[in-house]
């Protein structure tokens, strides 16, 4: 699938799955550095209630690390040229911004990761989704940093045509409330480097990790059109105070910095 086809699928269905889209040396570098951020599956399962492993036990979101990440390779990965190209194709412009990014580790048996089908707009924007103009939609991406087969808890997604006409609230539904969502959901399972791109108005859910003594590692990146001022989750001014920001910013390209709101070369700011 080329970028034009991927963008068309995202606009039509509210999501697109790109198998192995980011396979390559950058993925290998990010995978290598996961050991800096998280215990391996073996390390966690050897002592789930000891030391830093307690962070992940009993808390569905305990494995989240917000950008900037502990190594440059991990931080660079969420502004990979191919992710930027995908976002530019989706919004049909180069005037885009990254407005949130996280790493996420999940360990089998640590907690239940099964979720209801929900939409993410409620913690991304104070406004309801607007599907009639690309500029006002949010693009979210899960990037698998490890292989995520069906028993490793892949995200499941409901195509937008299935949910057409559903009110803006509530933002989530249990299986008995909307059984058709669960019957017609699609899986985002894939090998490491697979990108699951979806819209903030798309119903999706986390699924349970059932493989014994396993783990799932992913990166999450959210992009928007630069005109969409009311959508945001992370304040980069606040995050730039983090000690891991400088190592990333010092080696980032001008284009990568612009994604975070830096003024472009030639802007009057640069004296």
């Amino acid at each position: 699938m080329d970028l034009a086809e991927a963008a068309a699928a995202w606009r039509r269905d509210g999501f697109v799955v790109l198998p192995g889209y980011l396979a390559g040396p950058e993925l290998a570098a990010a995978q290598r550095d996961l050991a800096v951020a998280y215990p391996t599956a073996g390390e966690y399962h050897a002592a789930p209630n000891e030391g830093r492993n307690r962070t992940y036990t009993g808390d569905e979101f305990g494995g989240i690390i917000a950008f900037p990440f502990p190594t440059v390779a991990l931080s660079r990965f969420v502004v990979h040229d191919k992710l930027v190209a995908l976002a530019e194709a989706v919004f049909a412009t180069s005037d885009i911004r990254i407005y949130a990014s996280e790493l996420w580790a999940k360990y089998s048996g640590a907690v239940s990761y099964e979720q209801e089908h929900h939409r993410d707009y409620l913690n991304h924007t104070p406004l309801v989704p607007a599907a009639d103009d690309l500029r006002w939609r949010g693009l979210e991406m899960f990037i698998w940093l490890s292989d995520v087969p069906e028993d490793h808890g892949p995200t499941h997604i409901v195509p937008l045509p299935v949910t057409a006409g559903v009110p803006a609230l509530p933002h989530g539904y249990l299986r008995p409330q909307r059984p058709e969502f669960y019957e017609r959901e699609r899986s985002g399972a894939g090998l490491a480097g697979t990108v699951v791109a979806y819209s903030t108005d798309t119903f999706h859910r986390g699924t349970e990790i059932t493989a014994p003594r396993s783990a799932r590692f992913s990166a999450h990146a959210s992009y928007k059109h630069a005109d969409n001022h009311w959508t945001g989750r992370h304040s980069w001014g606040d995050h730039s105070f983090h000690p891991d920001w400088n190592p990333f910013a010092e080696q980032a390209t001008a284009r990568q910095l612009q994604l975070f709101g830096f003024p472009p070369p030639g802007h009057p700011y640069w004296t």
Side-chain angles (χ1 to χ4, degrees):
M1 183 182 297
D2 63 23
L3 285 178
E5 291 172 326
W10 183 89
R11 294 168 189 163
R12 179 188 66 247
D13 298 328
F15 79 99
V16 63
V17 179
L18 301 175
Y21 184 64
L22 293 187
E26 295 90 350
L27 171 62
Q31 290 177 313
R32 178 198 65 219
D33 285 0
L34 278 174
V36 179
Y38 296 113
T40 65
E43 290 169 340
Y44 172 80
H45 290 292
N49 296 305
E50 297 181 12
R52 67 170 178 167
N53 289 350
R54 290 197 300 268
T55 301
Y56 317 106
T57 302
D59 184 354
E60 177 186 358
F61 304 107
I64 290 179
I65 297 174
F67 189 95
F69 306 137
T71 76
V72 169
L74 288 167
S75 292
R76 284 176 60 91
F77 199 60
V78 295
V79 288
H80 192 293
D81 289 345
K82 293 181 71 174
L83 288 184
V84 176
L86 176 60
E88 290 176 339
V90 161
F91 292 113
T93 181
S94 61
D95 198 12
I96 57 173
R97 301 288 186 271
I98 183 170
Y99 69 89
S101 185
E102 299 165 332
L103 299 177
W104 198 350
K106 296 182 177 183
Y107 299 91
S108 61
V111 67
S112 175
Y113 296 107
E114 189 83 5
Q115 296 178 330
E116 66 179 23
H117 269 302
H118 63 280
R119 294 172 285 194
D120 281 347
Y121 67 86
L122 270 185
N123 64 350
H124 290 240
T125 170
L127 302 177
V128 298
D132 56 346
D133 193 319
L134 281 176
R135 292 174 297 171
W136 318 139
R137 296 178 70 182
L139 166 64
E140 298 188 78
M141 293 181 274
F142 275 117
I143 307 104
W144 302 141
L145 296 175
S146 58
D147 292 348
V148 183
E150 200 58 43
D151 60 359
H152 279 57
T155 303
H156 283 192
I157 309 164
V158 186
L160 281 181
V162 176
T163 64
V166 173
L169 291 174
H171 86 298
Y173 293 96
L174 297 170
R175 191 183 296 266
Q177 296 172 309
R178 292 282 183 174
E180 71 276 17
F181 288 9
Y182 295 81
E183 293 165 0
R184 300 179 66 181
E185 66 186 10
R186 309 277 182 84
S187 175
L191 298 176
T194 293
V195 173
V196 181
Y198 61 99
S199 176
T200 51
D201 59 340
T202 301
F203 281 94
H204 65 285
R205 69 184 182 97
T207 61
E208 194 64 270
I209 303 178
T210 58
R213 300 178 65 85
S214 63
R216 191 201 87 173
F217 301 97
S218 62
H220 190 205
S222 299
Y223 282 77
K224 65 179 182 177
H225 193 291
D227 288 347
N228 187 349
H229 302 296
W230 49 86
T231 292
R233 284 190 67 213
H234 294 164
S235 167
W236 300 129
D238 180 44
H239 286 227
S240 68
F241 192 74
H242 194 282
D244 290 327
W245 177 272
N246 281 0
F248 165 74
E250 288 169 354
Q251 57 74 56
T253 66
R255 175 59 177 141
Q256 289 170 337
L257 293 176
Q258 287 173 57
L259 296 171
F260 292 88
F262 278 57
H267 187 278
Y269 172 83
W270 302 114
T271 63

